[in-house]
Amino acid sequence: MNYTAEAPAVWEPAFADADDCLLSTDQCVVRGQHYFVKGLIEIPVIDSDEVFSWGVWVSLSRESFSRASDLWDRPGREAEKPYFGWLTTDLPVYPATTLNLKTRVHTRPVGERPFVELEPTDHPLAVEQRTGISLERVREIAPAVLHASDGEQL
């Protein structure tokens, strides 16, 4: 019930050895100028207590990234206002790209990934987040993700 992207769409393997780049399981910096956090787009599964989630990367401003980093291990961080960001994960199961969709990143308690709220547009991903998906849709997503980009996973 969860698929995750290992890095933002702009990440390149050559960045791994660069002094001004960082990729961890939760945060990413590219060339000391672009800042990302990993969060979850959660989608209710209709007629189920389950939630389907996409593990995605969202770009933040330098100021928001710095603030989120300062609070990363601090209890009570979930009281922080949401951060504006741009989705930087392309989910291949949608007819239109998911890159650069507007988001709000909601910090959760220490140890939990942030919740990524999409702007309520008519993009199919945003619609699914608002209205939920069926178990059949979840079953459709699995093979599409596994076969995306010639067998490369997200």
Side-chain angles (χ1 to χ4, degrees):
M1 298 293 271
N2 178 302
Y3 292 95
T4 191
E6 298 302 317
V10 298
W11 181 261
E12 296 177 15
F15 293 160
D17 296 326
D19 291 338
D20 59 353
C21 296
L22 161 86
L23 178 62
S24 73
T25 56
D26 300 306
Q27 298 178 327
C28 180
V29 177
V30 173
R31 298 291 181 219
Q33 297 178 15
H34 305 282
Y35 306 90
F36 309 89
V37 294
K38 193 170 195 178
L40 297 173
I41 296 175
E42 296 178 342
I43 301 174
V45 178
I46 300 165
D47 296 331
S48 171
D49 293 334
E50 299 284 331
V51 172
F52 178 85
S53 61
W54 290 107
V56 297
W57 291 89
V58 176
S59 68
L60 298 180
S61 69
R62 180 185 190 109
E63 296 77 21
S64 293
F65 182 83
S66 179
R67 176 76 178 155
S69 295
D70 288 346
L71 298 175
W72 202 259
D73 294 317
R74 188 175 299 169
R77 70 182 191 167
E78 63 273 15
E80 186 75 358
K81 291 183 209 172
Y83 305 111
F84 173 80
W86 298 96
L87 187 60
T88 55
T89 300
D90 192 19
L91 301 173
V93 302
Y94 296 96
T97 185
T98 57
L99 289 174
N100 296 319
L101 293 177
K102 292 180 182 179
T103 70
R104 291 170 40 106
V105 179
H106 299 264
T107 306
R108 291 180 168 162
V110 173
E112 294 182 36
R113 285 210 190 280
F115 170 70
V116 177
E117 175 189 14
L118 294 168
E119 179 182 44
T121 65
D122 61 354
H123 189 284
L125 177 58
V127 172
E128 286 183 348
Q129 187 177 45
R130 288 193 311 272
T131 63
I133 59 175
S134 67
L135 278 172
E136 182 58 34
R137 172 72 173 138
V138 173
R139 286 189 209 80
E140 291 171 3
I141 289 172
V145 168
L146 294 175
H147 294 97
S149 302
D150 298 321
E152 292 178 21
Q153 292 190 6
L154 288 179

